[in-house]
Amino acid sequence: MINNFHSNGKLLLTGEYVVLCGASALAIPTAYGQSLKIEFSDIKELHWESYDENSAIWFSDIFDLKSLKSKNAENPISRTLSNILLEARRLNPEFLLKEKGLHVTTTLDFPRNWGLGTSSTLINNIAQWAKVDAFQLLKNSFGGSGYDIAAAQNDTPIVYRLNNEIPEINKAHLPWGFTDSIFFVYLNQKQDSKQGISRFKKAPVNKETIKRISEITNSLLVCSSLEEFESLMKEHEQIISDIINLPTVKSKLFSDFSGTVKSLGAWGGDFVLATGNKTEMEYFREKGFKKIVSFADMIKS
């Protein structure tokens, strides 16, 4: 018997950091994601293999099915995976107690350093497998707002909000006739979202700021022109810059670029959003940022 699960990757267009305080955030599930395949075997162990987008194995280990402990306990990835499986069992005490042996394979269809949700897609896949709540599993293991879990579970853009720490998810239609002018540029480095959240938690955020970010998110849902879109994105970028006391990515790296540039998710790495046409994207390639994905190719459709 074989079980298969799949979860979408994510990008957060608005609400980075302040989504933790209850701001409405606009997230898109990506065409890229991660799958998890479970095959039953007669060997009394849990054999785990993880493959990257090129079908190359990047992680392999064996776990005891009763204790869910790794035979390679010094490996930080093994420890993390063991902790996730144990948390899943705490939520479902029957999880992995009756199986004789398992061979589990995970496969990414995006590079691990892209920051599209290697962890969140894994959490959501394991939650489906264990028949537990993915938001609770995330909270008990990695922490975070949970917007990435919501994106993993939905095939359309969503507006995500924490209401007294309870996720509110609403599917969104983006009436943007200018998506051919939206691109995602990879900054050649992965950002640690935990570090970003730690920095944010030290910064004061007032209710008016949270309200304004939510208003920007809602305005984007009815935005009809590229000019309005760019104006909203610029305002959003400056608000977050003031909160976390970091320069905007445009002022730091792309000050002479003609279009708008906005950070996505944890500032300082992963992808940024840029507006312009295909020819104008050569600006980034000339600066060494070669990986540029169009809106159409990035978003789940």
Side-chain angles (χ1 to χ4, degrees), residues 12-18 187 189-193 195-197 199 213 233-252 261-272:
L12 191 62
L13 299 193
T14 68
E16 64 268 24
Y17 302 119
V18 288
L187 293 185
Q189 60 182 348
K190 192 176 188 325
Q191 184 66 9
D192 187 335
S193 58
Q195 288 182 0
I197 290 172
R199 169 185 281 268
I213 291 293
M233 287 300 190
K234 287 176 185 175
E235 182 184 354
H236 189 294
E237 185 83 340
Q238 191 58 55
I239 290 172
I240 302 300
S241 172
D242 292 341
I243 291 173
I244 62 176
N245 197 28
L246 286 177
T248 66
V249 68
K250 182 170 183 177
S251 66
K252 184 178 179 181
V261 183
K262 182 190 178 297
S263 295
L264 304 173
W267 282 32
D270 303 331
F271 282 90
V272 295

Side-chain angles (χ1 to χ4, degrees), residues 51-277:
Y51 292 83
D52 66 16
E53 78 284 4
N54 297 315
S55 299
I57 191 164
W58 64 269
F59 171 75
S60 178
D61 206 348
I62 295 172
F63 298 79
D64 180 83
L65 274 168
K66 288 187 177 180
S67 69
L68 298 180
K69 297 295 184 180
S70 161
K71 292 189 176 182
N72 185 17
E74 298 303 312
N75 186 325
I77 298 174
S78 298
R79 290 198 303 271
T80 297
L81 181 54
S82 177
N83 288 337
I84 296 170
L85 295 172
L86 284 167
E87 289 296 342
R89 179 176 285 173
R90 289 189 183 99
L91 295 171
N92 176 7
E94 299 296 316
F95 180 52
L96 295 181
L97 284 182
K98 297 179 180 179
E99 283 79 2
K100 291 182 180 179
L102 294 171
H103 182 202
V104 177
T105 305
T106 67
T107 305
L108 286 163
D109 50 29
F110 61 90
R112 291 168 58 209
N113 58 1
W114 274 15
L116 295 184
T118 304
S119 300
S120 56
T121 52
L122 176 65
I123 290 281
N124 194 61
N125 282 336
I126 290 176
Q128 292 179 82
W129 174 24
K131 298 179 181 177
V132 301
D133 183 85
F135 293 97
Q136 192 63 48
L137 183 57
L138 177 77
K139 184 177 180 179
N140 294 357
S141 52
F142 284 90
S145 71
Y147 88 87
D148 45 4
I149 295 296
Q153 298 176 352
N154 285 275
D155 293 335
T156 64
I158 57 170
V159 174
Y160 182 86
R161 177 174 173 263
L162 285 175
N163 185 0
N164 293 321
E165 298 191 3
I166 298 173
E168 289 183 355
I169 305 157
N170 290 292
K171 293 185 178 182
H173 169 69
L174 304 180
W176 301 344
F178 48 83
T179 54
D180 57 349
S181 297
I182 301 175
F183 295 85
F184 300 99
V185 181
Y186 183 60
L187 293 185
N188 300 333
Q189 60 182 348
K190 192 176 188 325
Q191 184 66 9
D192 187 335
S193 58
K194 287 185 178 180
Q195 288 182 0
I197 290 172
S198 178
R199 169 185 281 268
F200 167 72
K201 285 183 175 179
K202 298 175 183 177
V205 183
N206 59 49
K207 290 183 179 179
E208 286 302 313
T209 298
I210 295 170
K211 180 183 177 183
R212 183 54 192 153
I213 291 293
S214 296
E215 289 172 348
I216 291 173
T217 295
N218 292 328
S219 294
L220 285 167
L221 301 182
V222 293
C223 176
S224 59
S225 71
L226 178 61
E227 291 76 19
E228 182 184 4
F229 177 85
E230 290 178 321
S231 176
L232 290 167
M233 287 300 190
K234 287 176 185 175
E235 182 184 354
H236 189 294
E237 185 83 340
Q238 191 58 55
I239 290 172
I240 302 300
S241 172
D242 292 341
I243 291 173
I244 62 176
N245 197 28
L246 286 177
T248 66
V249 68
K250 182 170 183 177
S251 66
K252 184 178 179 181
L253 298 176
F254 311 118
S255 59
D256 56 342
F257 179 63
S258 58
T260 296
V261 183
K262 182 190 178 297
S263 295
L264 304 173
W267 282 32
D270 303 331
F271 282 90
V272 295
L273 179 151
T275 60
N277 58 41

